[in-house]
Amino acid sequence: MSKKLTKTKSWNSLEKHYKKISNVHLKSMFEEDKKRGKNLVLKDLGIYFDYSKQRITNKTLNLLLGLAKERGVEAKRDAMFSGKKINVTEDRAVLHTALRAPRGSKIIVDGKNVVPGVHRVLKKMTTFSNQIRTGKWKGYTGKSIKNIVNIGIGGSDLGPVMAFEALKFYCDRSLTFRFVSNVDGSDFAEAVEGLDAAETLFIVASKTFTTLETMTNAETAKKWSLSHLKNDKAVAKHFVALSTNKEKVTAFGIDATNMFGFWDWVGGRYSMTASIGLSLMIAIGSKNYHEMLDGFHQMDEHFRTAPLGKNIPVIMGLLGVWNNNFLKAETQAVFPYDKYLHRFPAYLQQLTMESNGKQVTLDGKNVSYETGPIYWGESGTNGQHSFYQLIHQGTKIIPADFIGFKESLNNLPPHQDYLIANMIAQGEALAFGKTEKEVKAEGTDSELAPHKVFNGNRPSSTFFLDKVSPANLGKLVAMYEHSVFVQGAIWDINPFDQMGVELGKKLAQNIIPELQDKNAAIKHDSSTNALIKFYRS
Ligand code: F6P
């Protein structure tokens, strides 16, 4: 049992320290240390990580690093990498890092090296995606596959769709990709709109193969496919499964040879580098896909080996704790200044919030401090014209991560200069603001001046990379994965279960028959009863 977080020496020191610096403005921090913008920067793996606009001093950083030591972040990290069952509530190892471990590595779970199995699945994925991309895989009527529909939800959707959008530039444009996740029938209807069933492959992605949304969509897809192709045998040519559950896959009617497996030591939201990435591999080809895996692995190695003070995910995680628990920021914004990353915030929402949205410690005690913040975001510059007003002049502190790239994949001057100038300017405006004096000096009268004041002192980090590429995407995703781990380790919670999603799912199972049978007795509270009656009427 680890010591209560708020009783640790480092936590107490951080509390005292926070009181001292809570009113120090970023402006004076920069004035005091002329090299701050160079000093509070980490550069590795082609990532320029500027955290100088966070509301910290060198002392804060040292205290946070001390906290990481005291909470045993390094030992916990090593336990994860070596395959220890750190997901204690589910008695599972946590080994998404094994999914990108090079051939020849050794990671032992229950006495068995898991790496050869990972590479067997990767090989099977490579062969299959090559067959689709070259037109060798024929549908039931003999036509090649032109449309790929991924059916999955949560981790079986968000990773594939985010990465597909992010790496669209590298995709085979002769193929059409659609993603169905929602149990809303409109999602399915729109996904198959205009598609020829004879040229359409459904990828049913579900770790458990029991998820209501996915199984409902998969059944509808089977009906749709067979209504056009008129023979049950077509399923073998038009359906493949990505899952850990062979029994359920075969019960659905998909041959085990068309199943791409993975393992219980891969969490759903950590599964985009498991076979769940098949649609992406088909889209970008196995070479690009392997480059992405290499990017992930480079960040895994950085996290595993870099000293805490030079470790990007460690610093990110600690800054998150600082902002969440000391500055009391309730949310964390993520603003990628590249349109290709427009689904990245949505992806991060599951990664971060399903992982660290926890109310009890590993040994089941209620936490007495805030855990995971709310993640949200939008790609730049769109957000600037909607909600940035609140970030700049609202009453809430909203730490922001800006993610930018030097090069655009579509060289259309002056777009990239305008885009990146805006990204840099936002961080500058948030940190330094604009005083009333400055406003008045521009000729604004006293009455209007307060409305134009920017208090500044609003924290942000900036991540700069060369361009959106498969390897860089891998690095970015792994970077956030590991920062989530660091925070979970500090907060003494389990980032690898998701019991909070169960209750609503169970209650829906009770309500389904009550909606379908108008005469079924309903015994909920008065609000729930009235909603059911409204639907029935
Ligand atoms: O309901 C949450 C969840 O269990 C996620 O953790 C997971 O990514 C998603 O559902 C989908 O699960 P599956 O891949 O088993 O269908």
Side-chain angles (χ1 to χ4, degrees), residues 153-156 206-208 211 214 268-269 350 354 498 501 505:
I153 196 163
S156 300
S206 175
K207 180 179 171 183
T208 55
T211 305
T214 302
R269 54 194 171 277
Q350 187 199 13
E354 203 173 75
Q498 54 285 319
V501 302
K505 286 189 199 174

Side-chain angles (χ1 to χ4, degrees), residues 152-157 205-215 242-244 262 267-271 276 350 354 497-498 501-502 505:
I153 196 163
S156 300
D157 167 71
S206 175
K207 180 179 171 183
T208 55
F209 231 71
T210 57
T211 305
L212 172 87
E213 292 87 340
T214 302
M215 297 330 296
L242 320 175
S243 187
T244 57
F262 59 110
R269 54 194 171 277
Y270 295 89
S271 66
I276 293 296
Q350 187 199 13
E354 203 173 75
D497 64 9
Q498 54 285 319
V501 302
E502 294 308 324
K505 286 189 199 174

Side-chain angles (χ1 to χ4, degrees), residues 405-426:
F405 300 89
K406 285 204 277 188
E407 212 180 291
S408 168
L409 295 176
N410 299 286
N411 185 24
L412 293 169
H415 286 263
Q416 189 67 1
D417 294 347
Y418 290 6
L419 178 70
I420 296 305
N422 270 282
M423 180 187 80
I424 296 173
Q426 291 301 325

Side-chain angles (χ1 to χ4, degrees), residues 354-369:
E354 203 173 75
S355 294
N356 283 342
K358 305 288 159 68
Q359 61 191 7
V360 293
T361 57
L362 284 169
D363 56 4
K365 303 265 181 336
N366 282 328
V367 295
S368 58
Y369 42 86

Side-chain angles (χ1 to χ4, degrees), residues 205-273:
S206 175
K207 180 179 171 183
T208 55
F209 231 71
T210 57
T211 305
L212 172 87
E213 292 87 340
T214 302
M215 297 330 296
T216 308
N217 280 320
E219 287 294 349
T220 304
K222 195 155 78 173
K223 272 190 218 140
W224 179 84
S225 194
L226 296 183
S227 73
H228 290 92
L229 302 172
K230 315 276 185 215
N231 194 319
D232 285 359
K233 286 190 182 139
V235 171
K237 294 289 169 195
H238 294 271
F239 283 80
V240 298
L242 320 175
S243 187
T244 57
N245 194 338
K246 197 165 168 184
E247 220 178 296
K248 295 270 183 209
V249 167
T250 45
F252 176 84
I254 296 177
D255 196 295
T257 49
N258 290 344
M259 170 177 159
F260 299 80
F262 59 110
W263 306 269
D264 73 354
W265 40 260
V266 183
R269 54 194 171 277
Y270 295 89
S271 66
M272 70 170 271
T273 50

